[in-house]
Amino acid sequence: MNMMLVARMAWRDVRSGEMALLLVALLVAVGTVTSISLFVDRLQSALLEESSNFLAADRQISSSQAIPEAFVQQAQQRGLNTAQTLVFPSMVFAGDLNQLVSVKAVDATYPLRGELIVGSEPFQRGAPTDTVPEPGTVWLDSRLFPAMNLGLGDTIEVGMAQLTVASVLIAEPDRGGSFFDLGPRLLMNMQDVEATEVVQPGSRLSYRLLLSGAEVELEGLREDLPLKPNFNWVSVRESSPRIGRALDRAESFLLLGGLLGVLLAGIAVGLSAHRYAQRHFDHVGVLKTLGATPTQILRGFMSLLLMVGLAAIGLGLLLGSLLHVAIVEILATLIAVELPLPTARPFLLGAATGLICALAFAMPAFIHLKNVEPMRVIRRDLGVAPLSRWLSYGAAAGGSLLLLVWYTKDFWLTLWTLVSIVSICVVFGVLAWALLKGGRVAGMQAKSGWRLALAGLQRRRAENTAQILIFGVAIMLLLVMVLIRTALIDFDRLGLDSMDLDPAVRRQLVTLLDNRGNPETVLQDLGSVFGEQPVFAELGRVCDQIGAAAAEQGVTIQLDPTFQPHFELYTGLVFQLVCDGIAAPVVIARGGRYDELVRRCGAAEHMGYGAGFSLAIDPIRELINDTNPKATQEADILVAFSTATRLETAMARQRSWHEQGRVAVMALEPLESKEMAQQLANEKGSVQLDWIDP
Amino acid sequence: MLRKRNEKDRMSRTVVSAESLEKIVQTSAGELVILDGIDLEINQGETVAVVGASGSGKTTLLGILAGLDTASAGAVKLLDANLTDLDEEARALVRGQHVGFVFQSFQLLASLTALENVMLPVELRGDTMAQSQAQALLEKVGLTDRLDHYPRQLSGGEQQRVAIARAFASNPTVLFADEPTGNLDTQTGELICQLLFDLNTEFGTTLVMVTHDLALAARCGRTISISGGRIVPSQSQEAAK
């Protein structure tokens, strides 16, 4: 069959609606993937772009040592843009006033991403600028102007240098929460650093080389440079692990969701192609009697499938684009950033998915058409040899495998997923078959309507079993989607499973993930996995000491090696206090050791210890309301004390009332006489007075 | 343009022949012999009716002679092609080149208009004049005003007329007809039958028709009776013996 004839046949089939179902199924597959990947692609680009703004670059190399010139040269040879910054804390002076500031010295190309916002007056909105402070000038944080009684044009001393205040620095892109960044910012030109003479051996300095440019060149540079152990490579994912993890999880979930959508659409494509083929057995029989050879039939229908596939891909890409615009519109209020234009990848992904769907799910049915006997035209009772199951299911499994591997980028995970699905199909196929066979026995005793229905099911037992399986698998895929969503949100275990790890290491990490509870047991388990470690002995001592005090208060101590409050301030032991609420445990306080911070703030080595915590006021209040019905009651006792009484005595008395279950409040200051105390008690609504006077 | 064979070409050579033709199929009850040693020859321009009771094997014989089915044993020749030696690919080419079909159930493609149905065999041969040829044939069968109608919009008689036009569109050497009036009422069947014979005469085609309508068979030049998968000798043949 020539292409014109095939095109006419395709058009005739589309026009008569024969091809509509297949076209729609393919359209759904392409549209789903395209819309999801377009949205993810744009969201990822936006998040990465925003995150790059936080770095003021695409990547950074950070160190407490000066960045070697060779690094800069290699970056520039690769066509990358570079900028350098140096951050250090310093005292600055203006007249008699002084202030600890965080100085950032930058070169002319800073920043590579994001923008500096400057103004002419403190605490105003300001405007973006593409310049940096001129040599001899500084830009100051708004807070410094009132604190140091400064105005524009005044002079400020930074170390040995006298610099002129030229602008108000409203915002800078890479203002992070680093320990070096404590205090208001002073931005100066890199050329002035030498004149300040503050950069001395032992100074706390943070050098950064900012890099931006093509992704491949950035990664190439990373491999070329001798970074370890003195230089850190910083990317968005490393600098903001939470953003990185969120991105990974969002991508995994949306793509897996999309993939399951495609598998469902694939099943629809397979079913509609099968239906199309069955409806064309006679058609092909007639074509064969008229002289069409099996090769011509095969070529013709494959070309037809290709045409429909291409049309579906074209329309699907369009539909996906429109759908993703709708998604963006619906989520507009939740997306604070402006989404950049998409890359070509989502379109490529959508087109390839459509092609693979057409080939894997629809092609076997189309290939089967060439086997139709021409004799069927005069002998309708002549069946068509069933489609080779190996070809049909093999192609569908192959296509699914290809799509899954492509989406998950993990062959073994994919293979096991498919093996599981096949196993489930076998088990439930046997069950469905048995159920239909059992229906025959039930049908014998049923009323006529049911008997007819059951006989119908029985007559086409193989097809009905296949349909039960297809719908069963489709429902299972939907449920798996829900489970995956929950799992991705709740557990790090999946992340662990997806990492390429030695099995022994993986076992150790799983043990670590599952290990929490009684400190003694946990430390024993940790010791058996990681061997004797000084940190375990230290933890044991801490737990012993706290344990005794906690036991007196009825508090249980649990040790959880996986607990991570995601608060970089803490650099030692971290803890949280959990209280049993009515519905669930409630975290009422969190804290930890921040020795490093104390040392960086200038404490002597032997004094550099710090610990702190924050109380969660709202949960505590809710907890009290939930568990103590008297908490909302009015006080019934006023504890008042004379000027001759110690505050501690009054507080002890109030505590004793509380222990008796009474609601007691205390006068805020000592009173001169009992009369005054009684008057206060009357003002509070005739509460009982407890007067303390030695 | 449509070619018409001249009288000289007609009745000059054998176009269809079968020798010791057998068709045996396997059933759950064992082997079933459908055709059992059929020998026949049909010459160019002949009109032959194949008659017999239901299940006698006449439709199977038609299928094998036309190259739609294969024999279990024996030889079949269609013009110069030995069909028993050919695979489906080659048999399809022979059918496209030399054979036309008219079926009891019309077998028009529902998604195509009358004109497109008639164009189909010509298009399959790659002929660029498909549309004009198809239009001319539909005019001959009296359906000029029905060119763009779909089969579901046509009566049974009209559908069969489209099928006849399609059968002649490829200008076949042999036309095989399987109960061409079987689905039509008597009056319409008569008209269709007349049309078929008229066009057959006009185009000089060899006609092999399976029917159980003895009146229709009587209009053919020769009748072959089949019973139990064998050819039953006619009275004249018996007498000649």
Side-chain angles (χ1 to χ4, degrees):
Chain A
M1 279 188 273
N2 60 42
M3 286 312 290
M4 282 304 291
L5 178 58
V6 170
R8 273 201 294 275
M9 275 175 61
W11 171 239
R12 287 163 189 165
D13 274 348
V14 170
R15 194 183 56 189
S16 64
E18 290 286 328
M19 208 51 113
L21 201 59
L22 183 62
L23 193 70
V24 169
L26 280 169
L27 205 67
V28 168
V30 179
T32 308
V33 171
T34 309
S35 60
I36 290 177
S37 48
L38 265 173
F39 180 64
V40 171
D41 183 79
R42 291 184 66 191
L43 197 62
Q44 269 186 337
S45 301
L47 286 174
L48 284 172
E49 209 168 90
E50 283 292 305
S51 309
S52 295
N53 288 346
F54 287 119
L55 289 181
D58 293 337
R59 303 284 192 281
Q60 285 185 352
I61 296 172
S62 71
S63 175
S64 57
Q65 300 175 11
I67 305 290
E69 188 53 32
F71 283 18
V72 181
Q73 282 172 2
Q74 283 199 46
Q76 286 171 347
Q77 278 166 10
R78 284 180 171 274
L80 297 170
N81 300 314
T82 62
Q84 291 201 54
T85 66
L86 170 61
V87 177
F88 55 90
S90 179
M91 292 299 287
V92 292
F93 300 89
D96 296 336
L97 298 170
N98 59 66
Q99 170 82 41
L100 177 69
V101 299
S102 170
V103 178
K104 181 188 268 184
V106 298
D107 63 12
T109 48
Y110 171 87
L112 300 177
R113 295 272 184 249
E115 50 196 10
L116 286 166
I117 311 279
V118 293
S120 53
E121 284 185 44
F123 304 109
Q124 289 201 332
R125 286 178 66 87
T129 177
D130 52 3
T131 60
V132 296
E134 292 289 325
T137 67
V138 292
W139 296 351
L140 299 182
D141 193 315
S142 291
R143 282 183 289 162
L144 282 171
F145 286 87
M148 301 190 74
N149 197 21
L150 284 168
L152 294 184
D154 291 348
T155 302
I156 190 167
E157 287 176 40
V158 183
M160 302 301 289
Q162 300 270 336
L163 302 168
T164 306
V165 179
S167 255
V168 183
L169 179 65
I170 306 292
E172 58 182 298
D174 54 341
R175 176 81 206 219
S178 154
F179 295 126
F180 296 94
D181 282 345
L182 296 169
R185 171 72 80 220
L186 180 152
L187 196 71
M188 62 185 282
N189 196 292
M190 190 70 92
Q191 292 178 26
D192 293 330
V193 171
E194 199 177 344
T196 63
E197 298 182 18
V198 293
V199 178
Q200 303 290 338
S203 300
R204 286 190 298 277
L205 306 167
S206 172
Y207 290 93
R208 287 180 186 247
L209 173 63
L210 277 53
L211 300 162
S212 74
E215 196 62 30
V216 60
E217 296 297 340
L218 287 165
E219 287 307 312
L221 182 69
R222 180 185 194 167
E223 284 168 17
D224 286 356
L225 294 180
L227 294 169
K228 295 288 175 191
N230 297 320
F231 299 95
N232 290 322
W233 182 267
V234 184
S235 69
V236 171
R237 282 174 198 259
E238 283 138 6
S239 72
S240 303
R242 268 180 293 174
I243 291 180
R245 224 175 5 252
L247 276 178
D248 288 343
R249 286 185 172 175
E251 186 179 16
S252 301
F253 174 65
L254 287 172
L255 278 183
L256 271 172
L259 172 66
L260 295 179
V262 167
L263 287 183
L264 289 175
I267 292 172
V269 168
L271 286 175
S272 53
H274 190 67
R275 176 180 175 275
Y276 177 86
Q278 276 195 323
R279 290 170 67 93
H280 279 69
F281 284 161
D282 288 346
H283 186 120
V284 171
V286 172
L287 285 175
K288 282 194 166 181
T289 59
L290 297 179
T293 66
T295 309
Q296 281 179 316
I297 296 285
L298 183 65
R299 276 196 204 139
F301 277 95
M302 292 314 285
S303 310
L304 199 141
L305 176 63
L306 198 67
M307 274 184 195
V308 172
L310 290 176
I313 287 169
L315 291 172
L317 293 179
L318 191 67
L319 177 76
S321 306
L322 294 174
L323 212 61
H324 116 273
V325 171
I327 294 171
V328 171
E329 280 297 311
I330 291 166
L331 300 178
T333 52
L334 301 175
I335 304 169
V337 295
E338 191 179 333
L339 296 179
L341 287 174
T343 61
R345 186 174 175 271
F347 296 105
L348 196 67
L349 203 67
T353 302
L355 207 60
I356 291 171
C357 260
L359 293 179
F361 293 97
M363 193 174 69
F366 277 67
I367 290 177
H368 187 47
L369 282 170
K370 81 173 169 52
N371 301 327
V372 172
E373 294 285 337
M375 191 62 183
R376 184 185 159 83
V377 175
I378 42 178
R379 291 277 305 277
R380 288 299 309 278
D381 55 326
L382 212 63
V384 177
L387 174 58
S388 160
R389 287 194 161 76
W390 283 113
L391 175 69
S392 179
Y393 298 135
S400 306
L401 187 71
L402 192 65
L403 284 172
L404 277 160
V405 169
W406 192 12
Y407 278 55
T408 59
K409 302 182 187 76
D410 187 331
F411 177 78
W412 290 109
L413 173 73
T414 305
L415 189 68
W416 285 118
T417 308
L418 275 187
V419 167
S420 308
I421 290 177
V422 169
S423 309
I424 287 167
C425 284
V426 169
V427 171
F428 287 99
V430 170
L431 283 176
W433 181 272
L435 194 69
L436 287 171
K437 202 170 180 183
R440 188 180 189 179
V441 180
M444 299 287 191
Q445 294 139 14
K447 288 182 180 173
S448 60
W450 281 101
R451 197 182 305 157
L452 274 174
L454 288 168
L457 286 175
Q458 181 65 30
R459 198 168 52 247
R460 294 174 169 270
R461 206 191 303 166
E463 290 90 335
N464 289 327
T465 305
Q467 284 198 357
I468 289 172
L469 273 182
I470 287 167
F471 284 110
V473 169
I475 292 167
M476 189 191 78
L477 289 176
L478 287 173
L479 292 175
V480 165
M481 257 178 79
V482 176
L483 283 177
I484 286 175
R485 188 192 63 178
T486 314
L488 282 171
I489 292 167
D490 288 350
F491 300 113
D492 281 330
R493 187 182 291 274
L494 280 176
L496 197 62
D497 287 344
S498 67
M499 290 161 78
D500 184 22
L501 293 173
D502 180 70
V505 174
R506 191 190 302 277
R507 263 198 309 281
Q508 285 186 351
L509 292 173
V510 168
T511 309
L512 194 63
L513 264 185
D514 293 343
N515 203 352
R516 62 177 69 87
N518 180 282
E520 204 174 327
T521 318
V522 171
L523 286 169
Q524 260 177 12
D525 290 346
L526 290 175
S528 66
V529 175
F530 297 103
E532 287 299 318
Q533 302 284 344
V535 69
F536 296 160
E538 195 183 325
L539 266 174
R541 277 200 304 277
V542 170
C543 290
D544 286 346
Q545 283 179 7
I546 301 172
E552 277 179 27
Q553 302 291 325
V555 175
T556 312
I557 300 280
Q558 283 198 347
L559 188 59
D560 180 356
T562 64
F563 173 54
Q564 167 57 269
H566 299 295
F567 201 34
E568 291 172 9
L569 176 71
Y570 300 124
T571 47
L573 185 75
V574 288
F575 59 87
Q576 63 180 5
L577 301 179
V578 184
C579 205
D580 282 333
I582 287 177
V586 179
V587 175
I588 56 169
R590 272 187 183 150
R593 295 282 295 267
Y594 48 82
D595 304 359
E596 186 73 12
L597 176 67
V598 175
R599 285 175 201 148
R600 285 184 191 282
C601 285
E605 193 64 28
H606 67 284
M607 298 281 285
Y609 303 109
F613 64 92
S614 60
L615 287 169
I617 301 295
D618 286 339
I620 292 173
R621 188 183 296 134
E622 284 163 16
L623 206 60
I624 292 168
N625 288 342
D626 284 348
T627 54
N628 183 4
K630 284 194 172 178
T632 53
Q633 289 178 4
E634 292 296 316
D636 57 5
I637 295 170
L638 172 67
V639 178
F641 56 103
S642 68
T643 47
T645 310
R646 286 167 60 84
L647 176 67
E648 288 79 0
T649 311
M651 287 174 72
R653 182 70 64 83
Q654 186 192 25
R655 194 158 54 244
S656 74
W657 283 120
H658 285 166
E659 282 166 5
Q660 292 170 43
R662 302 289 294 275
V663 182
V665 294
M666 201 168 70
L668 294 174
E669 51 191 18
L671 299 168
E672 288 179 359
S673 66
K674 189 176 180 183
E675 287 70 31
M676 288 174 74
Q678 189 59 57
Q679 190 182 345
L680 188 62
N682 293 341
E683 284 170 8
K684 286 192 175 293
S686 302
V687 297
Q688 180 188 331
L689 175 66
D690 180 8
W691 174 247
I692 310 169
D693 182 16
Chain B
M1 288 300 292
L2 298 172
R3 287 179 290 119
K4 293 174 190 171
R5 291 179 181 83
N6 56 37
E7 262 330 289
K8 196 179 167 185
D9 283 343
R10 299 174 65 180
M11 315 292 284
S12 59
R13 59 171 176 158
T14 302
V15 290
V16 181
S17 68
E19 195 180 327
S20 307
L21 193 65
E22 288 180 13
K23 179 71 177 179
I24 301 166
V25 293
Q26 298 295 328
T27 67
S28 54
E31 279 190 350
L32 175 67
V33 178
I34 299 173
L35 296 177
D36 185 12
I38 300 280
D39 294 295
L40 60 80
E41 276 189 0
I42 298 170
N43 291 326
Q44 174 97 44
E46 261 195 293
T47 52
V48 178
V50 180
V51 296
S54 294
S56 60
K58 57 186 188 300
T59 299
T60 305
L61 176 64
L62 180 90
I64 293 172
L65 294 180
L68 298 177
D69 199 0
T70 51
S72 307
V76 183
K77 280 187 78 173
L78 185 68
L79 293 159
D80 297 327
N82 191 346
L83 295 182
T84 37
D85 292 341
L86 301 180
D87 60 7
E88 170 55 22
E89 197 79 19
R91 285 200 306 273
L93 289 173
V94 172
R95 285 196 299 268
Q97 219 165 1
H98 299 294
V99 180
F101 290 96
V102 177
F103 305 106
Q104 179 180 357
S105 51
F106 323 135
Q107 295 291 3
L108 298 177
L109 300 186
S111 59
L112 307 188
T113 61
L115 180 65
E116 287 165 347
N117 264 291
V118 181
M119 282 165 66
L120 199 56
V122 192
E123 287 177 323
L124 281 170
R125 281 162 58 141
D127 200 324
T128 51
M129 304 290 282
Q131 189 166 347
S132 55
Q133 285 191 34
Q135 271 176 336
L137 274 163
L138 282 168
E139 201 175 323
K140 273 187 192 299
V141 297
L143 290 175
T144 315
D145 55 345
R146 299 287 209 169
L147 299 184
D148 296 326
H149 285 59
Y150 288 93
R152 64 176 181 279
Q153 297 168 315
L154 301 172
S155 69
E158 286 171 330
Q159 286 189 53
Q160 194 61 303
R161 279 195 273 165
V162 175
I164 289 169
R166 182 180 67 185
F168 284 100
S170 59
N171 197 22
T173 311
V174 193
L175 184 69
F176 289 96
D178 178 38
E179 307 272 14
T181 58
N183 276 359
L184 303 172
D185 61 71
T186 315
Q187 196 178 355
T188 312
E190 177 57 33
L191 288 170
I192 289 296
C193 191
Q194 189 59 49
L195 179 66
L196 187 61
F197 278 97
D198 286 351
L199 284 174
N200 190 58
T201 308
E202 187 180 338
F203 283 85
T205 316
T206 306
L207 176 66
V208 181
M209 186 194 312
V210 164
T211 183
H212 54 249
D213 181 348
L214 293 177
L216 182 58
R219 295 181 65 168
C220 293
R222 179 151 66 108
T223 299
I224 297 172
S225 294
I226 305 270
S227 177
R230 290 168 177 270
I231 293 179
V232 181
S234 63
Q235 285 177 349
S236 56
Q237 282 172 319
E238 286 291 319
K241 283 180 186 176

